[in-house]
Amino acid sequence: MAIPARYFRSAIFGALVLTSLPGWAEPRLQLANVIDAAIEYDPWLRQSAQIQEALLEESIAEGALPDPRLTLGAANLPVDTFDTGQEAMTQATVGLIQRIPRGDSLQLSRDRKEELAGEQPFQRENRRARVVETVTRLWLDVWEAQQSIGLIEDNRDLFEQLSDVAEAGYITATMISRQQDVVRGTLELTRLDDRLTDLRLKLQSSQEALGEWIGSKNASLEVTETVPPELLTALRDGWSETSADALIRHPLIRSTDQQIKARAIDVDLAREAYKPEWTVSAQYGYRDRAPGGQDRADLFSVGIGFDLPLFTGNLQDRKLNASAARLEAEKTERVLQLRVIQARARSALARVKRLDDRIGIYQQFLLPQMEEQAEAALTAYNNDDGDFAEAVRARIDDLNAKIELIGMTAERARNFASFRYLTSGSSEVPSLSQTRYQD
């Protein structure tokens, strides 16, 4: 039995066209629509936008002068009588004190918050790319199980016919059928039923996982029968997008770049600690009349103050060293991230190429040969010139090869989805609908 052309007509080297029937006629889920729903439904993106807004608000607050301090008091009260007019220096005072932070620390604190806020758009871009990869993998899990179930169900009738033929030949003795042939036919049907049960379990699990991402409680989600062409794009030789120069555009790397900028400002802030912090104060003192009734002049005082960062060995120096170490650690983290992304991208690309080779062998040679062998074994058995077990084994091998081709096609698409995420900053790698979601 030939593999249905609808499964693999466009597997790797041909162009695929997505099913686009109206919703009432074709309720199956297209991958692009699932991705749109998952991105729209993802609360993490809203959380990130809220964090960015909070950081921008905090940046304005960080750049503002601290509030002045108001002081109220009574100075130089005579403790023998507490008479405010007894002594000339007795005053009721009101004053203001304004603290002026060190050097450019206000502007630097504001810049630091703005850099942290600037990280969030890259985090959201990376999150959307990760959602696309995750949802694509889940969609492909559903597709693989769904296609495998359909293929086994299509072939089950043939195995039933083989079992019936063996049983009829054994009963009527019109063919060279033995009791073990009847048992073998029943056994293979039982094995097919067991495989269907296992595949339906995997299908249900994948459907539940996919439904969680798109906010659907429908436990019987079905996907389209074709894989989007973007996931089956034929690869050209020498993809430049796996180079380090290309991968620095990845949103995860750009997010780390924002962290590095913030750490660099931390170093500048630590250097500002060597500068004095200033205070400006003004005070007005009211004096009561003298005991003789004479007026006394009120007093006004003004002054400045600053600290003296003289002993910096255990404070400023340590904080500066710590900030510089954190900056270098962040730079090292960027190098590690770049290495991991580059290695994973090259690994995914290598797997895609090897799967392309295997799929080509299956489509061009292995499947036609197995189909021919299965037909020959069945014809020989029908002509009383072959063994029933050989005919059944040939059909099982043919079915297994077709199911394995489904699995390889899904795995090829999964690896290309991973490759697309790892090169998501590239303009050369085909992408799906996440490109419509930009900040």
Side-chain angles (χ1 to χ4, degrees), residues 1-12 14-17 143 147 150-151 154-155 225-227 232 363 367 371 402 405-406 409:
M1 178 178 178
I3 188 168
R6 56 182 178 158
Y7 292 145
F8 305 111
R9 188 184 303 275
S10 52
I12 294 297
L16 292 175
V17 179
W143 179 85
Q147 297 296 93
L151 187 59
D154 288 345
N155 281 268
E225 294 187 355
T226 52
V227 178
L232 301 175
Q363 289 183 316
L367 284 180
E371 177 68 22
K402 292 171 182 176
L405 181 55
I406 292 176
T409 302

Side-chain angles (χ1 to χ4, degrees), residues 166 176-186 381 387-389:
I176 307 176
S177 295
R178 296 164 295 179
Q179 184 178 9
Q180 67 185 47
D181 296 339
V182 178
V183 174
R184 178 66 183 270
T186 304
Y381 175 70
D387 183 62
F388 179 79

Side-chain angles (χ1 to χ4, degrees), residues 325-395:
R326 288 194 177 95
L327 173 60
E328 293 305 314
E330 201 67 40
K331 291 179 180 179
T332 303
E333 176 66 18
R334 182 185 186 275
V335 173
L336 294 175
Q337 285 179 341
L338 194 58
R339 286 183 179 179
V340 170
I341 292 174
Q342 187 176 33
R344 289 180 58 195
R346 289 178 175 175
S347 176
L349 190 59
R351 289 195 298 269
V352 167
K353 291 180 178 179
R354 298 291 77 79
L355 286 167
D356 282 352
D357 294 340
R358 290 192 64 196
I359 291 173
I361 292 173
Y362 266 65
Q363 289 183 316
Q364 296 177 37
F365 305 107
L366 194 59
L367 284 180
Q369 291 170 1
M370 284 190 169
E371 177 68 22
E372 184 178 354
Q373 180 187 15
E375 292 292 344
L378 182 59
T379 301
Y381 175 70
N382 289 334
N383 294 330
D384 296 337
D385 190 28
D387 183 62
F388 179 79
E390 183 64 29
V392 171
R393 188 183 305 112
R395 278 298 168 191

Side-chain angles (χ1 to χ4, degrees), residues 11-78:
I12 294 297
F13 305 105
L16 292 175
V17 179
L18 286 172
T19 305
S20 57
L21 297 178
W24 58 268
E26 179 57 58
R28 296 173 181 264
L29 296 175
Q30 294 183 2
L31 177 56
N33 294 337
V34 171
I35 290 174
D36 290 343
I39 292 176
E40 189 69 25
Y41 186 71
D42 187 15
W44 193 97
L45 296 173
R46 293 190 293 274
Q47 180 191 43
S48 174
Q50 292 161 355
I51 291 174
Q52 181 180 4
E53 182 180 359
L55 288 169
L56 288 174
E57 294 292 335
E58 288 175 352
S59 71
I60 297 175
E62 291 284 347
L65 283 171
D67 293 332
R69 298 184 62 186
L70 176 67
T71 61
L72 299 173
N76 304 316
L77 281 173

Side-chain angles (χ1 to χ4, degrees), residues 23 37 47-48 62 67 71 104 156 161 174 193 212 248 259 298 310 319 367 382 411-412 439:
Q47 180 191 43
S48 174
E62 291 284 347
D67 293 332
T71 61
D104 296 326
R156 194 181 189 282
Q161 292 173 14
T174 57
D193 290 337
E212 181 180 354
I248 60 174
Q259 284 283 349
D298 296 335
L310 298 178
K319 289 185 175 180
L367 284 180
N382 289 334
E411 186 62 19
R412 196 272 186 194
D439 291 302

